[in-house]
Amino acid sequence: MAAGIFFFDRFLPDVSLRFLLFVLLAVFLPLFFYAVIKFRTIRLNYSFGVIVSACFFLIGGILIVQKRRNIEYKWSDKEQCYYGVVETTPEVRGKTLCSEVRVNLAIPSTADSIYGKSINRNILLYYIPDSASYIPQCGDGIVFYSAISKPLSDIEFMGFDYARYLFTKGISGTALAFSGNWKAVRVEHPQSIRHIALRCRDIIAGKFESWDMGDNELAVVSALTIGDKGELTPELKAVYSAAGTSHVLALSGLHVGILSGILYLLLWPLKKLRGGRVVQSLAVATVLWIFAFITGLSPSVVRAVTMCTLYLVASVLVENGFCGFFSLSLTAFVMLVYNPMYLFDISFQLSFVAVLSIILFYPLIFGWIKSSNRLIRYLWGAMSVSMAAQLGTLPLILYYFGTFPTYFLIANIVVGPLAVCILSLTMASLLFSYIPMVGNVCVWLLDGVTGILNASMQFVHGMQGSQITSVSFNELQVLLFSVLLLILYVFLKKRRPGDLLKMLSILCIIAIIEVYKIRTDDAPSLFFARSGLYIRNGKNLDTVTSGNGLHEINGIRVGVMDSGRWKNIRLAGTSQLAALDYVYICKGFEGNITGLSGLFKIKNVIIDSSISERYRRFLKQECERLNIRCIEKSAQASFRILL
């Protein structure tokens, strides 16, 4: 099914849904006859397996095609009034607030119709507040007047496909509403469970803010316990990333595992009672789902709690327990049926690959060292889990981030016990917050332990060579490295010498690809983007600036027109027109192309996407009349010239 989701999203995103359903029915018919005839042969059994696989492949295609249709929408270019529901807690983004909004209706601007147009798509809404504005909460309504546009993709300039990222998150467009062009509609009792959960998380976050903790300590506690990463600074994120412990700041299976361990320890006396094991498992599962609820039902926590619940239920009902790989597969299957776009989510991929790698490699690595000493066994066990998870996720980390933390083993040995202490102290601080002395002591200890964690990660980050940033994988290298890991697992299980030759061959191919990438790296390029000029040379991106907006770069003459200052150039000019290869018209430009052509001999005009539609049409008509080539950047996020 996952293969079907990937294939149809990448190669056949616009295929007819009816056609897929028809093909699925045609493929499914042989299964029906197979069940009726009940004829058994080995060849027929193989055919049965192929047909079942084909059915799930097509089901994956149907799921992703339908999901894409539920996200895609052709927005109007004109400003319009919309009504929607706020889906996420507002976050501060510079001078604006940003929320995910479910746009339900486009409100008509005339009295011709009393009914709005139903839309039901999610967007990112940036809105500028004022002192009198009511800031909406999750589940509140919001009315805004703005133009919604489809996010633009510019992977060449940004190095990251932001439009694709938003699409996989279910975001259909983005909009900016200025102060006075939006109004929140307070809803006291939201109907959605997710809205209630997010409001509950906001209440707990407010409780944390009332405690007397440092800013960095508060940010880490909020991220580690309820998944609120809004207070994390870029510097703090960089420290944890370089130390190889970013996972501790993102709620996942680590936190669920720690919490379930604490709960099992607290509920251990129940095992002595008759049927106490069942009560203990049910109590742990219940508390874990309460934890998932107060963290806003984030996909990563729901994923981990679902897996843990399956394991707990099976441990009670099944005599031999539950297969970890089956639990992993079943959880992934259920989540992909619910939302096939999860397959392209980075956290989804890293989480499942990490757990799969632990299931496969941890027993093999842990068996390398055998000791009866508890401390040695704990340390080696922690290192084995960390190595297994890092080994499996390495190709994805190098593909998405292009970095590798060299001291991740040291950092993760420290993180484990401190994360247990932080979770325990946070629970104690919340429980005893109404007992002044006890609550204050718990908060003081929590602040101190979190400070130790931050200081430890800062120390690891400050060590020489803490992060490798010179290696990045492409899709082919990720595939080859995954095959390498599979061969490595087989070798560790069966110890066949031939597998070593296979691994060496794959490593050589990966190295050759890396050398080829370095030698054929993109030539220096000049980018017109975000109302400015940028030069990209490899991974380095530099901004080009000047006092008057005129530039000469490798013989290419460029004029950036973002104001009316170009009119004053005539005062210092000569009778001969200055030649400009490119004129970049940006927001703030005052005048027209005719006026510019009186000062400059213009070969090309580039119109930035920040220019309004009406003004853009006027400038294009001028270029046609003056026989000047016009390039509209509204259709793409940037324009590139090789230097």
Side-chain angles (χ1 to χ4, degrees):
M1 191 176 72
I5 291 171
F6 174 81
F7 177 83
F8 283 94
D9 178 79
R10 177 64 66 90
F11 302 108
L12 296 172
D14 300 321
V15 67
S16 170
L17 199 58
R18 290 183 179 180
F19 174 75
L20 283 180
L21 290 170
F22 175 78
V23 174
L24 177 62
L25 179 62
V27 173
F28 182 75
L29 284 177
L31 294 180
F32 176 76
F33 291 117
Y34 180 84
V36 172
I37 297 173
K38 297 182 179 179
F39 180 70
R40 304 294 186 203
T41 65
I42 294 177
R43 184 174 296 178
L44 199 58
N45 286 340
Y46 278 113
S47 301
F48 177 80
V50 171
I51 293 171
V52 170
S53 298
C55 286
F56 279 105
F57 181 84
L58 290 169
I59 289 171
I62 292 169
L63 289 172
I64 192 64
V65 170
Q66 180 62 35
K67 186 65 178 178
R68 288 181 64 93
R69 290 187 178 183
N70 291 338
I71 298 173
E72 291 173 341
Y73 190 80
K74 188 175 181 180
W75 299 99
S76 172
D77 294 334
K78 300 178 181 179
E79 291 185 332
Q80 197 170 349
C81 193
Y82 297 94
Y83 172 77
V85 178
V86 178
E87 295 287 325
T88 59
T89 303
E91 296 181 8
V92 178
R93 302 281 181 87
K95 295 181 180 180
T96 69
L97 294 175
C98 177
S99 294
E100 184 177 330
V101 173
R102 178 75 172 177
V103 178
N104 295 329
L105 293 172
I107 302 172
S109 57
T110 64
D112 296 339
S113 174
I114 61 172
Y115 300 104
K117 182 181 178 182
S118 179
I119 296 178
N120 296 321
R121 296 293 191 278
N122 283 24
I123 69 164
L124 274 186
L125 178 63
Y126 297 84
Y127 46 102
I128 301 175
D130 56 41
S131 57
S133 301
Y134 164 69
I135 305 301
Q137 302 181 64
C138 299
D140 282 342
I142 187 168
V143 181
F144 62 96
Y145 181 77
S146 180
I148 301 176
S149 59
K150 184 179 178 180
L152 296 177
S153 178
D154 191 13
I155 193 169
E156 279 190 335
F157 174 64
M158 298 177 63
F160 174 65
D161 195 343
Y162 185 62
R164 174 65 180 174
Y165 168 77
L166 290 181
F167 190 82
T168 59
K169 296 292 185 182
I171 304 298
S172 178
T174 59
L176 172 63
F178 293 96
S179 177
N181 284 358
W182 65 271
K183 184 176 178 61
V185 181
R186 189 193 299 268
V187 176
E188 295 293 344
H189 305 289
Q191 301 298 317
S192 169
I193 294 177
R194 184 168 179 267
H195 294 159
I196 299 172
L198 287 170
R199 286 196 180 189
C200 183
R201 190 185 75 169
D202 292 341
I203 292 172
I204 296 175
K207 185 70 175 177
F208 289 166
E209 291 175 1
S210 68
W211 296 345
D212 188 17
M213 291 194 296
D215 292 340
N216 286 341
E217 286 71 24
L218 173 62
V220 170
V221 169
S222 298
L224 196 149
T225 55
I226 60 173
D228 183 7
K229 296 187 285 186
E231 300 298 324
L232 290 172
T233 62
E235 295 77 17
L236 195 59
K237 291 179 182 178
V239 166
Y240 278 80
S241 175
T245 55
S246 293
H247 58 277
V248 80
L249 299 178
L251 284 180
S252 60
L254 170 68
H255 307 78
V256 173
I258 291 173
L259 182 59
S260 60
I262 294 171
L263 293 172
Y264 262 108
L265 184 63
L266 294 175
L267 300 174
W268 178 78
L270 289 176
K271 278 192 172 183
K272 297 181 179 180
L273 303 176
R274 185 177 180 180
R277 184 185 172 193
V278 176
V279 176
Q280 184 189 39
S281 298
L282 289 175
V284 171
T286 302
V287 174
L288 289 180
W289 279 107
I290 293 173
F291 172 70
F293 181 81
I294 65 176
T295 58
L297 295 174
S298 64
S300 58
V301 178
V302 171
R303 177 169 62 240
V305 173
T306 301
M307 287 184 61
C308 193
T309 303
L310 288 172
Y311 180 82
L312 291 172
V313 172
S315 65
V316 174
L317 300 179
V318 183
E319 183 178 352
N320 296 325
F322 202 45
C323 173
F325 181 75
F326 184 71
S327 172
L328 184 73
S329 304
L330 181 58
T331 304
F333 179 81
V334 172
M335 293 191 70
L336 290 177
V337 169
Y338 171 72
N339 184 0
M341 280 296 177
Y342 282 153
L343 183 67
F344 309 105
D345 185 75
I346 297 175
S347 65
F348 180 92
Q349 296 174 14
L350 289 174
S351 178
F352 276 97
V353 169
V355 175
L356 177 61
S357 185
I358 290 171
I359 291 172
L360 295 178
F361 287 101
Y362 169 72
L364 302 175
I365 298 174
F366 185 71
W368 293 348
I369 296 178
K370 296 180 180 179
S371 175
S372 58
N373 187 287
R374 288 187 176 182
L375 179 60
I376 294 176
R377 290 186 65 187
Y378 162 74
L379 292 175
W380 180 240
M383 293 174 69
S384 300
V385 171
S386 183
M387 283 191 288
Q390 202 74 39
L391 185 64
T393 57
L394 178 60
L396 291 177
I397 289 173
L398 292 178
Y399 174 70
Y400 285 117
F401 308 110
T403 62
F404 179 73
T406 52
Y407 303 120
F408 68 92
L409 282 177
I410 300 173
N412 280 283
I413 289 175
V414 176
V415 160
L418 291 179
V420 173
C421 293
I422 291 172
L423 273 171
S424 303
L425 287 169
T426 303
M427 292 170 60
S429 299
L430 289 171
L431 289 173
F432 301 118
S433 60
Y434 298 102
I435 305 176
M437 289 295 295
V438 179
N440 291 339
V441 170
C442 291
V443 170
W444 178 78
L445 290 172
L446 175 63
D447 186 50
V449 172
T450 310
I452 293 172
L453 176 62
N454 288 341
S456 303
M457 296 305 101
Q458 186 68 54
F459 175 77
V460 175
H461 172 258
M463 295 172 67
Q464 187 174 5
S466 62
Q467 199 173 27
I468 297 174
T469 59
S470 57
V471 180
S472 61
F473 276 6
N474 57 25
E475 290 88 345
L476 179 59
Q477 287 174 305
V478 171
L479 179 62
L480 289 172
F481 201 95
S482 300
V483 175
L484 175 67
L485 291 177
L486 181 61
I487 298 173
L488 176 62
Y489 174 73
V490 174
F491 171 74
L492 293 176
K493 291 281 287 186
K494 299 185 178 181
R495 301 288 179 177
R496 294 185 301 196
D499 292 332
L500 288 175
L501 182 60
K502 295 177 184 176
M503 288 189 288
L504 182 61
S505 301
I506 293 176
L507 281 174
C508 289
I509 296 173
I510 293 174
I512 291 171
I513 294 173
E514 190 64 27
V515 172
Y516 177 78
K517 281 165 52 184
I518 294 173
R519 290 196 171 188
T520 59
D521 196 12
D522 290 341
S525 303
L526 177 65
F527 282 92
F528 297 75
R530 301 177 183 176
S531 300
L533 296 181
Y534 302 86
I535 294 179
R536 178 179 288 281
N537 192 355
K539 293 184 178 180
N540 298 323
L541 185 68
D542 299 313
T543 305
V544 181
T545 59
S546 73
N548 58 6
L550 302 180
H551 312 267
E552 184 170 352
I553 305 159
N554 284 18
I556 299 174
R557 296 175 179 177
V558 180
V560 178
M561 306 300 170
D562 55 3
S563 65
R565 61 188 173 185
W566 61 273
K567 299 175 183 178
N568 299 323
I569 296 177
R570 183 185 299 274
L571 299 176
T574 63
S575 58
Q576 186 176 2
L577 296 181
L580 287 179
D581 297 295
Y582 295 92
V583 169
Y584 187 21
I585 307 295
C586 306
K587 187 176 182 180
F589 172 67
E590 299 175 3
N592 50 44
I593 306 299
T594 304
L596 282 173
S597 62
L599 293 176
F600 306 103
K601 185 178 180 181
I602 303 170
K603 295 182 180 179
N604 303 278
V605 170
I606 301 173
I607 304 176
D608 191 70
S609 56
S610 61
I611 301 296
S612 66
E613 179 67 25
R614 183 178 178 183
Y615 197 15
R616 191 183 302 130
R617 286 197 300 266
F618 169 73
L619 295 174
K620 282 176 62 180
Q621 291 172 358
E622 276 199 300
C623 290
E624 290 175 4
R625 182 169 51 82
L626 296 170
N627 198 24
I628 298 174
R629 182 192 176 204
C630 181
I631 303 166
E632 274 196 279
K633 207 168 68 60
S634 58
Q636 53 189 4
S638 70
F639 182 75
R640 177 189 182 195
I641 300 173
L642 292 177
L643 296 178

